[in-house]
């Protein structure tokens, strides 16, 4: 619809300039005012004329009458007034004769852009804390971050995905203490991250009885900071064990990263940052600690050094931002973390700005809400977590049960079940507004009816099945005359929205836009499927057109899946 909107905006602007001596608006303003009516019967696009009332000193219905006069051409089938609105109906010839050939020609490139060409986006996402398992709380940053990476890549940007591992901090002192007191190499090798978590939980249980354990943990981390050989060996071992576990989850999601530089990578880069802050007179001493005072910006102080002179994680994040700018020369650097870290990133960005770096405005925090399970918050230290691998496994088993009930026999049964099961979890998450807290309900995520991942993937499989039964996609030149049912026109209009949805998702940094659009496509296609004969259509011409329309739906739906970490399944 982008081309259509632009055309209508230009037509309206031309009419408008005939009504004023000195135009105060542009054609793009008119394009931006266009709306989608709440009811299909009211047209495909609508223009609210009250936007012009003050300037033209006319009532909206009178403005509508003047602007609507003789509006109609190859794109605008007709335009009618409805009170203070002008409702536009798009030409069937344009929809069939222009849109379908465009999708056929561009295939997976349909809906993409090149405005990001020559620009770089760095995305910091997923970033689990080492020695802890992937749980449902990690799902948000991982799938939102990767979706944003895919969206920017679709717009032509060079994207760098960074997994900023939480591989440094006092928690490793706790892990080392716990391992030496209650662990064994054999048990950890056998249990992997699960055993490390058990030790971590035990540490906190015992520390409640004996607070001196906290001092021991701090002492061990200090040794680690000073490169104690034995502690370093344990630390690296914990990281290696964790990465083995994480890669299994990333493989299921189809996610890869360009860098695994975690917090520890910036340890030797922080002294230079601290010195630069001193040289620029930004550091102040507050009760023995070194801070950057942000009171005038209505923020608490940004803590840089503890009383003992050791650095805090704000210093690491500042060092990371400077390193990434020097290394990648990014045009955007996007951080996908929980909303609970919003203040932290606001402080970091402000400090970078105060350091004199004008690229601070290129730093963007994308927050998301918390996840609870039946109202219970998750916490690793208490063991109250739902592991992603267990969640995925249960979803996959459920899909297999349904396949067995339907007597589905597939050579790649396990592969399909994994794609649908994991897709169900991903879609459930991304179909919610990212900033809202989510109470995860497994039964809802695994529902195979309505606005769900399995419904979407089943729809994609249905398009593949139809094309297979038709013996392939015919080569025809479609025209408006081929549209013989309202559901065909409705589906065409839905497919035309894809480029617009991509832009909206990028502008709002919100994958939900694509998830909702996937549901719109599925709803529109399944209505078309139930109301129209496709392979058994009454004429060859109608059959060919409907098979082509089905193929274009498959193309757009598949591209939308790619943007939000969902795998395509040709059979279910």
């Amino acid at each position: 619809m982008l081309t259509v909107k632009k055309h209508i905006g230009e037509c309206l602007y031309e009419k408008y300039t005939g009504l004023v001596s000195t135009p105060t608006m542009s054609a793009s303003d008119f394009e931006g005012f266009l709306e989608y009516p709440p009811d299909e019967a009211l047209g495909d696009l609508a223009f609210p004329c009250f936007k012009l009332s003050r300037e033209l000193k006319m009532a909206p219905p009178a403005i509508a009458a003047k602007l609507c006069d003789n509006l109609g051409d190859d794109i605008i089938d007709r335009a009618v007034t409805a009170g203070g609105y002008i409702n536009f109906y798009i030409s069937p010839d344009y929809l069939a004769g222009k849109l379908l050939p465009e999708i056929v020609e561009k295939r997976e490139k349909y809906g993409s852009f090149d405005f990001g060409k020559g620009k770089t986006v760095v995305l910091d996402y997923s970033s689990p804390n080492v020695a802890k398992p992937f749980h449902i709380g990690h799902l948000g940053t991982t799938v939102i971050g990767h979706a944003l990476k895919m969206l920017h890549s679709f717009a032509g940007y060079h994207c760098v995905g960074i997994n900023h591992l939480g591989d440094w901090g006092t928690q490793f002192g706790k892990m080392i203490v716990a391992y030496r007191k209650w662990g064994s190499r054999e048990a950890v090798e056998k249990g992997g991250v699960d055993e490390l978590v058990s030790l971590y939980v035990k540490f906190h249980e015992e520390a409640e009885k004996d607070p001196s354990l906290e001092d021991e943990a701090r002492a061990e981390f200090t040794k680690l900071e000073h490169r104690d050989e034995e502690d370093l060996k344990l630390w690296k071992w914990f990281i290696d064990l964790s990465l083995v576990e994480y890669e299994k989850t990333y493989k299921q999601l189809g996610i890869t990263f360009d860098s695994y530089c975690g917090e520890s990578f910036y340890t030797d880069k922080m002294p230079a940052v601290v010195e630069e802050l001193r040289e620029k007179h930004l550091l102040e001493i507050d009760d023995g600690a070194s801070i950057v005072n942000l009171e005038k910006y209505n923020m608490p102080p940004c803590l840089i050094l503890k009383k003992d002179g050791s650095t805090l994680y704000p210093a690491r994040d500042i060092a990371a931002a400077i390193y990434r700018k020097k290394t990648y020369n990014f045009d955007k650097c996007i951080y996908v973390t929980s909303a609970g870290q919003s203040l932290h990133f606001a402080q970091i960005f402000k400090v970078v700005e105060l350091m004199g770096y004008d690229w601070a405005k290129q730093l963007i925090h994308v927050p998301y809400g918390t996840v609870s399970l039946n109202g219970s918050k998750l916490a690793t230290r208490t063991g109250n977590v739902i592991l992603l691998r267990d969640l995925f496994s249960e979803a996959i088993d459920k899909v297999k049960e349904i396949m067995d009930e339907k007597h589905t026999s597939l050579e790649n049964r396990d592969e399909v079940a994994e794609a649908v099961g994991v897709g169900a979890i991903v879609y459930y998450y991304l179909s919610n507004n990212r900033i809202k807290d989510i109470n995860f309900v497994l039964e809802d995520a695994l529902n195979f009816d309505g606005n769900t991942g399995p419904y979407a993937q089943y729809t994609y499989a249905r398009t593949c099945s139809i094309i297979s039964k038709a013996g392939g996609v015919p080569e025809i030149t479609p025209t408006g005359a081929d549209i013989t049912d309202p559901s065909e026109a409705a589906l065409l209009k839905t497919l035309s929205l894809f480029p617009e949805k991509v832009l909206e998702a990028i502008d709002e940094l919100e994958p939900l836009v694509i998830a909702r659009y996937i549901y719109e496509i599925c709803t529109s296609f399944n209505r078309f499927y139930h109301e129209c004969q496709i392979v058994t259509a009454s004429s060859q011409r109608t059959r060919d057109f409907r098979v082509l329309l089905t193929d274009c739906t498959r193309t757009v739906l598949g591209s939308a899946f790619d943007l939000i970490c969902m795998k395509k399944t040709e059979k279910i």
Side-chain angles (χ1 to χ4, degrees):
M1 284 289 183
L2 288 175
T3 301
V4 174
K5 279 187 168 183
K6 185 175 186 297
H7 176 74
I8 293 176
E10 290 171 348
C11 291
L12 289 171
Y13 177 72
E14 185 178 350
K15 294 278 188 179
Y16 155 78
T17 55
L19 300 176
V20 295
S21 55
T22 305
T24 61
M25 298 183 188
S26 66
S28 60
D29 290 326
F30 281 81
E31 179 184 346
F33 291 151
L34 289 167
E35 303 172 354
Y36 289 103
D39 188 337
E40 290 180 4
L42 297 177
D44 303 310
L45 287 165
F47 181 79
C49 294
F50 63 84
K51 299 277 188 181
L52 305 176
S53 292
R54 178 174 295 181
E55 181 179 3
L56 298 182
K57 296 180 175 57
M58 296 169 61
I63 296 172
K66 285 188 174 293
L67 294 181
C68 190
D69 186 42
N70 291 323
L71 275 180
D73 52 30
D74 292 343
I75 294 180
I76 304 170
D77 186 50
R78 68 186 193 280
V80 297
T81 60
Y85 284 83
I86 303 175
N87 293 333
F88 295 89
Y89 296 81
I90 309 307
S91 164
D93 278 325
Y94 174 80
L95 287 171
K98 296 293 185 181
L99 177 63
L100 286 185
E102 182 183 358
I103 298 175
V104 170
E105 178 186 355
K106 293 182 177 179
R107 302 305 298 174
E108 70 277 0
K109 295 294 184 182
Y110 171 70
S112 66
F113 298 90
D114 61 4
F115 59 78
K117 189 174 182 180
K119 299 178 181 178
T120 297
V121 176
V122 169
L123 299 103
D124 177 331
Y125 64 101
S126 195
S127 311
N129 288 323
V130 169
K132 297 179 183 179
F134 252 113
H135 58 69
I136 193 173
H138 295 124
L139 186 62
T141 174
T142 303
V143 297
I144 291 171
H146 197 67
L148 294 179
K149 181 183 178 184
M150 298 304 292
L151 281 160
H152 280 85
S153 180
F154 205 53
Y157 288 93
H158 169 60
C159 296
V160 180
I162 296 178
N163 198 332
H164 187 70
L165 295 171
D167 61 358
W168 205 244
T170 308
Q171 70 265 29
F172 290 97
K174 296 178 182 180
M175 285 301 311
I176 290 170
V177 170
Y179 172 72
R180 286 181 175 150
K181 286 183 177 293
W182 308 293
S184 70
R185 189 168 191 88
E186 181 182 6
V188 173
E189 288 284 3
K190 182 178 179 181
V193 172
D194 290 344
E195 180 63 17
L196 293 179
V197 171
S198 295
L199 290 172
Y200 187 74
V201 171
K202 184 171 180 62
F203 176 90
H204 284 279
E205 292 173 347
E206 296 298 324
E208 288 184 4
K209 307 172 192 174
D210 181 6
S212 68
L213 286 172
E214 296 284 357
D215 294 328
E216 286 187 48
R218 282 189 285 271
E220 287 299 335
F221 180 59
T222 298
K223 287 169 61 180
L224 188 61
E225 286 189 302
H226 288 87
R227 320 308 288 176
D228 178 84
E229 188 174 335
E230 290 302 315
D231 281 8
L232 276 174
K233 285 181 180 178
L234 284 177
W235 170 72
K236 289 178 180 177
W237 182 41
F238 295 157
I239 292 174
D240 291 341
L241 287 170
S242 302
L243 288 177
V244 169
E245 181 71 20
Y246 299 159
E247 284 299 331
K248 295 176 184 176
T249 300
Y250 292 136
K251 185 177 180 181
Q252 285 184 301
L253 289 166
I255 291 175
T256 59
F257 292 91
D258 303 290
S259 168
Y260 279 88
C261 291
E263 292 183 47
S264 64
F265 179 78
Y266 301 99
T267 302
D268 63 350
K269 298 169 181 58
M270 288 187 286
V273 169
V274 174
E275 184 58 31
E276 184 176 350
L277 288 168
R278 281 201 183 98
E279 290 176 355
K280 293 179 176 178
H281 307 292
L282 292 172
L283 277 189
E284 297 181 12
I285 303 301
D286 181 42
D287 193 24
S290 295
I291 67 167
V292 176
N293 192 328
L294 301 176
E295 184 178 2
K296 67 172 63 175
Y297 307 105
N298 299 313
M299 285 186 277
C302 183
L303 302 175
I304 303 298
L305 296 174
K306 297 179 184 177
K307 290 182 181 180
D308 62 7
S310 59
T311 55
L312 290 158
Y313 65 94
R316 288 195 285 274
D317 282 343
I318 294 169
I322 294 172
Y323 173 83
R324 290 168 184 174
K325 184 61 179 180
K326 289 179 179 177
T327 303
Y328 303 110
N329 191 27
F330 56 72
D331 296 273
K332 293 184 192 178
C333 185
I334 297 172
Y335 299 79
V336 184
T337 73
S338 71
Q341 295 190 50
S342 294
L343 174 59
H344 166 74
F345 281 103
Q347 290 175 306
I348 297 306
F349 298 169
K350 177 54 70 173
V351 172
V352 172
E353 178 188 333
L354 293 175
M355 293 173 77
Y357 295 116
D358 59 359
W359 48 264
K361 60 181 177 294
Q362 298 171 337
L363 303 175
I364 303 167
H365 180 224
V366 176
Y368 60 88
T370 61
V371 178
S372 59
L373 186 71
N374 297 325
S376 299
K377 290 187 177 181
L378 310 173
T380 308
R381 68 177 57 188
T382 62
N384 178 31
V385 296
I386 298 299
L387 303 185
L388 269 185
R389 68 164 182 260
D390 294 340
L391 194 62
F392 287 171
S393 179
E394 187 168 351
I396 292 166
D397 288 343
K398 174 66 174 177
V399 174
K400 288 179 179 178
E401 288 177 14
I402 293 175
M403 292 168 71
D404 290 341
E405 290 172 4
K406 294 183 177 181
H407 304 289
T408 303
S409 178
L410 297 173
E411 292 182 5
N412 59 339
R413 176 176 179 270
D414 290 346
E415 182 182 338
V416 170
E418 180 175 296
V420 176
V422 172
I425 306 300
V426 171
Y427 187 89
Y428 179 86
Y429 190 94
L430 292 181
S431 60
N432 289 276
N433 188 303
R434 65 170 165 78
I435 201 62
K436 292 184 178 179
D437 294 341
I438 297 175
N439 181 29
F440 195 91
V441 181
L442 184 58
E443 292 75 15
D444 291 347
L446 299 179
N447 193 329
F448 280 68
D449 295 313
N451 186 12
T452 67
Y455 171 71
Q457 286 174 307
Y458 185 79
T459 301
Y460 181 85
R462 172 172 278 170
T463 64
C464 296
S465 175
I466 291 169
I467 293 165
S468 177
K469 289 178 181 178
V473 183
E475 293 185 13
I476 66 168
T477 302
T479 68
D482 290 315
I483 301 176
T484 58
D485 189 277
S487 65
E488 295 169 317
L491 179 54
L492 276 165
K493 293 167 190 173
T494 301
L495 297 180
S496 75
L497 296 175
F498 188 39
E500 199 169 329
K501 297 298 182 181
V502 169
L503 285 180
E504 184 182 347
I506 293 173
D507 288 343
E508 297 181 7
L509 297 171
E510 178 58 274
L512 165 65
V513 174
I514 302 300
R516 282 180 174 170
Y517 178 61
I518 286 173
Y519 183 58
E520 288 178 32
I521 296 175
C522 293
T523 302
S524 188
F525 175 77
N526 284 312
R527 186 173 70 176
F528 158 70
Y529 172 80
H530 288 295
E531 294 184 7
C532 297
Q533 296 295 321
I534 302 176
V535 178
T536 58
S538 57
S539 73
Q540 185 66 39
R541 179 72 191 189
T542 299
R543 179 187 190 273
D544 288 349
F545 174 74
R546 291 175 178 173
V547 171
L548 180 63
L549 181 54
T550 300
D551 181 54
C552 288
T553 301
R554 176 177 66 169
T555 295
V556 177
L557 194 55
S559 293
F561 279 10
D562 290 341
L563 295 178
I564 63 164
C565 306
M566 284 185 67
K567 295 180 180 178
K568 299 183 282 288
T569 50
E570 295 191 2
K571 292 183 180 180
I572 296 180

